[in-house]
Amino acid sequence: MNSTDFSSLKLRSDLLQNLKSLAYTEMTPVQALSLPDILEGKDVIGQGKTGSGKTAAFGLGLLERLDVQRLRIQALVLCPTRELADQVAKEIRKLARSIHNIKVLTLCGGMPFGPQAGSLDHGAHIIIGTPGRIEDHLKRGTLKLNNVHTLVLDEADRMLEMGFQDTLETIIKQTPEHRQTLLFSATFPKQIKKIANSIMLDPVMVKAPSLHDNSIIKQHFYTTSDPYRLTALRLLLQHYRSESTVIFCNTKKETQQVADALIEN
Ligand code: ADP
Ligand code: MG
């Protein structure tokens, strides 16, 4: 048995069995580095790039501690956006497939409030949501966090960038002091260290090594403006002729315009 085998962990057998059925054959570096401490109940700060498998690191931790017989909110995961909350919920549901009757609920803005309050009324074990909407539910009294034993801040750096610091503090104050706190972030600005110090107890720091050497990635920056932007994009694509390309735009509308223009070309 080597140290990247999930079976080297003190995980329930149904969770281990399910990992096999998901074809998770071994732990990713961030999982191998953080899961032993997470499963011991320690507070952990995890740093790892996108795609490094951070969700399963905290997901397995909170599922291992979860008592499905108690229909109380036992774990809260805070994410910066609805899209990220949905992704986390999907992964946690996958990891929890072997636990019958487990209730995982997402609470995000942009969705009607009433049905969320209704679902909360029926009870849930795990809440995954965005800070604004979670705070709303707390204010209206539709959500209680006094049974939470695991609190997760996912993509903490982005939540702070989006100005959620005060909201996070308000939410965290309503969770029990005796809880496990797990914080994941791609970067570690001072602001994160400060918040970590105030909400965590002797956190263990874990940093997953990069999957590639940063020096092999070249970055170029071009300034352009309308009406030349689309032409510039087309010329760059023609110049580099890469096998695949990802283009990020500011808005849904712009994304469509860029896609239409490229298709036409
Ligand atoms: P991060 O949050 O670090 O960006 P995710 O948790 O979203 O990354 O994981 C990225 C992908 O890797 C997901 O599709 C997940 O299902 C998959 N994954 C995670 N851990 C493992 C593993 N141990 N073996 C195989 N696939 C995994
Ligand atoms: Mg993630």
Side-chain angles (χ1 to χ4, degrees):
M1 189 165 71
N2 81 49
S3 62
T4 59
D5 278 352
F6 280 104
S7 47
S8 67
L9 298 169
K10 285 185 224 138
L11 265 182
R12 286 181 359 214
S13 61
D14 63 309
L15 290 175
L16 279 176
Q17 200 56 45
N18 182 46
L19 286 167
K20 262 194 205 142
S21 79
L22 291 172
Y24 282 23
T25 45
E26 53 179 345
M27 291 188 261
T28 65
V30 80
Q31 291 162 2
L33 290 166
S34 65
L35 269 165
D37 285 318
I38 290 177
L39 293 172
E40 280 200 18
K42 292 186 187 153
D43 282 0
V44 174
I45 298 178
Q47 186 175 8
K49 292 208 161 133
T50 302
S52 56
K54 296 186 287 296
T55 318
F58 64 75
L60 290 170
L62 65 86
L63 290 173
E64 177 68 25
R65 293 183 80 184
L66 195 105
D67 175 5
V68 77
Q69 309 293 343
R70 278 187 87 225
L71 190 50
R72 294 275 182 281
I73 296 164
Q74 298 170 48
L76 172 67
V77 183
L78 295 165
C79 304
T81 64
R82 172 163 32 133
E83 288 73 17
L84 288 166
D86 285 338
Q87 276 174 31
V88 167
K90 198 169 151 208
E91 177 81 3
I92 288 187
R93 288 196 178 103
K94 227 164 66 176
L95 297 168
R97 283 196 309 199
S98 63
I99 308 175
H100 292 294
N101 297 321
I102 189 161
K103 294 211 166 124
V104 181
L105 190 63
T106 53
L107 297 178
C108 301
M111 301 304 234
F113 199 88
Q116 291 182 349
S119 303
L120 281 167
D121 222 25
H122 283 98
H125 298 102
I126 302 170
I127 300 286
I128 299 156
T130 46
R133 183 53 65 101
I134 300 278
E135 189 188 29
D136 264 0
H137 278 284
L138 288 171
K139 275 191 187 143
R140 298 187 195 202
T142 41
L143 174 66
K144 293 262 183 303
L145 298 175
N146 51 315
N147 287 294
V148 165
H149 56 56
T150 313
L151 169 72
V152 183
L153 305 187
D154 192 21
E155 308 226 5
D157 48 352
R158 284 192 59 195
M159 290 200 279
L160 293 184
E161 271 166 31
M162 291 167 75
F164 279 134
Q165 171 140 7
D166 292 345
T167 309
L168 289 176
E169 280 168 15
T170 310
I171 296 170
I172 295 167
K173 265 192 213 131
Q174 303 210 26
T175 63
E177 230 171 281
H178 286 283
R179 57 160 200 262
Q180 181 177 27
T181 308
L182 306 172
L183 184 153
F184 291 84
S185 200
T187 60
F188 269 82
K190 266 200 200 117
Q191 219 188 345
I192 297 261
K193 291 190 189 115
K194 219 175 114 199
I195 199 164
N197 276 335
S198 71
I199 63 164
M200 303 177 90
L201 197 68
D202 299 330
V204 179
M205 287 274 279
V206 160
K207 190 174 171 190
S210 321
L211 299 173
H212 55 73
D213 184 346
N214 277 330
S215 63
I216 68 168
I217 295 180
K218 281 197 194 131
Q219 301 188 38
H220 303 268
F221 185 90
Y222 299 95
T223 10
T224 178
S225 58
D226 286 328
Y228 307 112
R229 198 154 31 185
L230 282 171
T231 309
L233 174 65
R234 182 171 54 78
L235 291 174
L236 282 171
L237 289 172
Q238 276 173 347
H239 177 74
Y240 286 103
R241 296 196 167 275
S242 63
E243 206 171 292
S244 56
T245 304
V246 181
I247 300 172
F248 293 95
C249 305
N250 228 356
T251 60
K252 250 188 222 174
K253 201 170 140 208
E254 258 178 55
T255 308
Q256 195 57 55
Q257 283 167 354
V258 169
D260 291 345
L262 290 177
I263 289 165
E264 199 169 310
N265 277 293

